[in-house]
Every structure is written in C-alpha cells, then in structure tokens.
Amino acid sequence: MEIMVFFSLLLLVCSVSTNQTKADNEILDHQILNQQLCPHDINAVLREMAVSMAGQKVRITFLEKENQDQAAKLESQKTEIDKQKTETEQLKLLSKEQAAKLETEINQLKQHSEEQEAELESQKAETDQLKQQLKAIRIIRRPRRMPNIFTLPSGSSRPCHIGQQVAFSVSLLDQGYGDTGPFNTEIPLIFKNVITNIGNAYNPQTGIFTAPVRGAYHLDLKLYGHAGIQTGGLLLRNGENIFLAHEHQSTAGGVSASNGVSLLLEVGDEVSVHLWANSMVYDGANHDTTFSGHLIFTM
C-alpha cells in the first residue's frame, strides 16, 4: 500500500510538471498501473465492473420493457384514433342521409299542403255553387185556395184558367254533359233543358213546378248515374218529401233509378227535385236525367 501511495504522489508531481507532455503522462500512468496493481485488485475491479454491467443490463431490460409498453400504448392510441375517424365518417354520412330524408319529408309536407289548399279551393267553389243554387230556389208556401185566375211563375201576364191543359218535361243540362254531385247535403236540382212546358207552369230558372189549378197531377222522376256511387233524388211538395228514386250498384257500368206519383195539388203548390246527400247523377245529349209531370184532371 505504501508503494501505491508513493506512486500516486509521483503521478501527481508528474501531472503538474510543465516539462512532461500529456502523452508521456498517459504512458507512465499505464506503466505504473501495470507494475503496481496486484491480481487481487484486478479481481475487485472486475467484480465491480461485472456488478456495474449487471446493473446496466437490468436497466437496459427495464428500458426495453418500458419502450415496449410505450409502443403498445401508441398502437392502442392509433387504433382508437382510427376508430374515432371511422365513427366521424359514419356520422358525416348519417348526417347527409338525415338531411336528405328531412328534405324529402319537407317536400312531401309542402306537396300535401298544396293539395289541401287545392282541395279547400274546390270545396269553397262547391259551397259557393250550392249557396247560389239555394239562393235561386226558395220554397214558399202559398195559400191553398186562390182565385181561378193565376199569374204564371215565369212572369207571363197570360192568365191560366181552370180546365187549362198542363204538362211539362225537362232534362237536367241544357248543353254538354257531366256529373252533378256528390255533396254532403241535399241540394236542389235545376232542370234547365225544357223539352215541353205546356201551361208554362215549370220555371227553368228555379227548377220548380207550380200548380196553376187545383187538380190531380202525375209526376215522374228518372235519374241516371254510375256504378260504384249511389244515384238518388227526392221529389218534394212544398218542401215535404214525397218519394225517393234511388239505386246503388258496385258493378261497372251505368245505373238508373226512377219513381212516379199522382198527387192532389192545390193552386200554388210547388214541386221540386233535390239531389240526395252523397249521391251523383249524370246527364248528357241523350237526356238521361229527366223530370216530367202533367195535369190528369182538375178538381
């Protein structure tokens, strides 16, 4: 040990010497170590180096495991990011589909609203037409006894005397062809095409036949319609129902209904025809829907 201390001091002196170069010091240091270190010291140094290497190895192993854990974590994060990207793309696609669906529903609602507006306009037009027809005909009860001279409802100044012949026959449309109805309530039918009007007791402006004399009258109603919807009409005297002509078939083609009656009418009694509720009638060039009557005898 004394020798080692001596050589250490010698090395210290040599290191501070200005006349020795750095290379000489390293050579001398190496020679001194080779000459002075004993095998026992070398073994100790080797053991320390082995322990140090074992520690380094453990640390390297720990770092490798930590790197692996970090790599696994990064891979998991990458997978999660890819998953989120996929979900984001799906959400974008779903949003586009929902937007397209919403636009379609808006267009359908808009179209439905336009159809409802058109239907309301049609119903309004039908209501206005019904009001005009109801305004055109007002059933007025007149005295059952009147003088033998009666002014005709058409406005003619020619008097009608007891014993005068009375007969009329009319069809619904004065030109063209078409359907009338259906309506959800009864409406008066105005037969505009006058075929016969002897005695001028039928008024084509109101659709009312007014009895000019007291007597027995025979009245006929013939209606034509289409299968699948009912065809019906009411004959009224002074607003009171007398009979119904009605037919309803589900098979294809046309349908017809008719009825007749003999009535005792007083002077001024009014006879008219109403379209039955939820019914439809057709008339055309062949005069399919008609209303007729004549005086059988006076009383």
Side-chain angles (χ1 to χ4, degrees):
M1 294 299 293
E2 294 176 355
I3 297 172
M4 291 181 63
V5 172
F6 174 77
F7 279 107
S8 298
L9 292 174
L10 181 63
L11 289 174
L12 180 59
V13 173
C14 292
S15 63
V16 297
S17 178
T18 57
N19 296 323
Q20 296 292 329
T21 63
K22 185 178 180 180
D24 293 338
N25 289 334
E26 290 178 355
I27 295 172
L28 181 60
D29 209 13
H30 181 68
Q31 291 176 350
I32 292 171
L33 287 175
N34 289 336
Q35 293 176 1
Q36 301 301 325
L37 288 178
C38 63
H40 175 74
D41 294 330
I42 293 174
N43 291 331
V45 172
L46 291 175
R47 282 195 300 272
E48 291 178 0
M49 293 178 63
V51 171
S52 177
M53 290 179 65
Q56 292 293 332
K57 185 176 181 181
V58 171
R59 181 171 178 81
I60 290 171
T61 303
F62 175 77
L63 291 175
E64 288 179 350
K65 186 177 183 304
E66 189 176 9
N67 288 337
Q68 291 176 356
D69 292 341
Q70 290 292 336
K73 186 176 180 180
L74 289 174
E75 187 66 26
S76 176
Q77 290 178 350
K78 181 180 178 182
T79 303
E80 184 67 22
I81 291 172
D82 292 339
K83 181 180 178 182
Q84 291 179 354
K85 288 177 64 177
T86 303
E87 292 178 351
T88 302
E89 293 296 330
Q90 291 177 350
L91 288 174
K92 288 182 179 179
L93 181 61
L94 182 61
S95 298
K96 291 181 180 179
E97 293 177 353
Q98 289 179 341
K101 183 178 179 181
L102 181 61
E103 184 178 359
T104 302
E105 291 178 353
I106 291 174
N107 291 334
Q108 290 177 350
L109 288 174
K110 184 178 179 181
Q111 182 179 1
H112 182 65
S113 177
E114 292 175 352
E115 291 176 354
Q116 285 184 334
E117 289 180 359
E119 184 177 357
L120 288 174
E121 290 295 331
S122 176
Q123 291 179 353
K124 182 179 179 182
E126 291 180 358
T127 303
D128 293 340
Q129 181 181 4
L130 179 60
K131 288 180 179 179
Q132 292 177 358
Q133 291 178 344
L134 290 174
K135 185 177 180 180
I137 175 171
R138 293 182 180 179
I139 300 175
I140 303 174
R141 295 182 179 273
R142 299 186 180 182
R144 290 190 173 273
R145 295 289 183 179
M146 294 185 68
N148 291 340
I149 298 178
F150 176 71
T151 302
L152 297 177
S154 61
S156 172
S157 60
R158 182 171 58 85
C160 176
H161 297 278
I162 294 178
Q164 179 179 341
Q165 294 180 345
V166 179
F168 74 95
S169 183
V170 292
S171 63
L172 189 59
L173 299 181
D174 57 352
Q175 60 182 354
Y177 61 91
D179 300 322
T180 301
F183 303 102
N184 57 8
T185 184
E186 294 179 12
I187 67 164
L189 289 177
I190 301 176
F191 294 79
K192 297 181 179 180
N193 182 48
V194 177
I195 302 172
T196 302
N197 196 12
I198 299 173
N200 204 25
Y202 175 78
N203 188 341
Q205 303 300 321
T206 62
I208 298 176
F209 169 75
T210 305
V213 295
R214 184 176 189 268
Y217 293 81
H218 183 77
L219 300 161
D220 287 300
L221 177 63
K222 293 181 172 59
L223 306 174
Y224 186 82
H226 306 293
I229 185 170
Q230 60 182 348
T231 299
L234 295 166
L235 183 77
L236 298 93
R237 176 181 59 186
N238 298 328
E240 177 186 3
N241 292 348
I242 302 301
F243 67 69
L244 168 68
H246 177 265
E247 184 62 56
H248 188 191
Q249 294 182 4
S250 59
T251 57
V255 296
S256 61
S258 61
N259 207 342
V261 67
S262 294
L263 288 177
L264 173 61
L265 298 179
E266 301 291 340
V267 175
D269 281 352
E270 296 180 338
V271 180
S272 61
V273 177
H274 280 196
L275 180 67
W276 204 33
N278 302 314
S279 296
M280 182 180 68
V281 295
Y282 169 85
D283 194 33
N286 294 325
H287 308 304
D288 309 274
T289 298
T290 60
F291 175 34
S292 302
H294 63 274
L295 173 66
I296 303 175
F297 51 82
T298 59
M299 294 181 64

